[in-house]
Amino acid sequence: MVTTQAESVLRGSPYRADCPTRRILDRIGDRWTVLIVGALWDGSVRFSELRRRIEGISQKMLTQTLRGLERDGLVRRTVYPEVPVRVEYALTEAGRTLREPLRALEEWAIAHLGEVSASQEAYDHADQPPPDSTDR
């Protein structure tokens, strides 16, 4: 059976440059997304609490990432009309389906930290060959 380019894009082939799944993979593969999903694992969290839980994230990056996750339907933003206004973030149904795969990545990173660190150290101290001219 021959499939058209449009059918391939609709079905999803992240190896194609024009496939929308690439944008989804960019979103869920982002380190801040992984950490935000983990921080929202147990339920709704206020912005300030998210910032405390995720060390090293700037206010701007947290805001941008949360907006992207909300746009993608992975996070729900709820505004409570109080003084001062209270805003909470929570995973949507779709966002909750990411918890297990992203938790597996987190656990893999923890389990293999020593090996990866040793490889990085060895690589950084080895004589590096000149860049391959075919990679340009």
Side-chain angles (χ1 to χ4, degrees):
M1 176 180 184
V2 176
T3 59
T4 67
Q5 182 178 353
E7 290 171 330
S8 177
V9 169
L10 288 175
R11 187 175 63 244
S13 175
Y15 298 98
R16 295 188 52 88
D18 58 350
C19 185
T21 58
R22 277 201 183 176
R23 289 188 296 279
I24 296 170
L25 288 172
D26 285 344
R27 170 74 59 215
I28 63 174
D30 175 72
R31 77 169 160 167
W32 298 123
T33 294
V34 172
L35 296 173
I36 289 170
V37 169
L40 293 174
W41 184 274
D42 295 323
S44 296
V45 178
R46 294 179 75 166
F47 184 91
S48 58
E49 178 60 23
L50 275 174
R51 190 136 180 246
R52 277 192 291 278
R53 288 184 185 184
I54 305 169
E55 292 182 11
I57 193 168
S58 67
Q59 181 172 338
K60 179 181 178 183
M61 185 54 63
L62 180 56
T63 299
Q64 287 176 345
T65 306
L66 285 168
R67 284 183 183 158
L69 290 168
E70 184 179 8
R71 180 177 182 262
D72 293 343
L74 302 173
V75 165
R76 180 182 56 257
R77 178 179 184 262
T78 304
V79 179
Y80 297 93
E82 301 172 353
V83 178
V85 173
R86 179 171 51 111
V87 179
E88 291 185 352
Y89 296 88
L91 295 173
T92 62
E93 183 78 25
R96 285 190 294 273
T97 66
L98 284 174
R99 292 188 306 186
E100 289 303 320
L102 294 182
R103 179 63 55 118
L105 286 173
E106 182 181 320
E107 290 172 359
W108 184 93
I110 292 167
H112 294 87
L113 177 61
E115 295 168 53
V116 172
S117 294
S119 291
Q120 291 170 340
E121 179 90 13
Y123 182 91
D124 292 345
H125 288 91
D127 288 332
Q128 297 302 313
D132 184 49
S133 60
T134 61
D135 288 344
R136 293 180 189 187

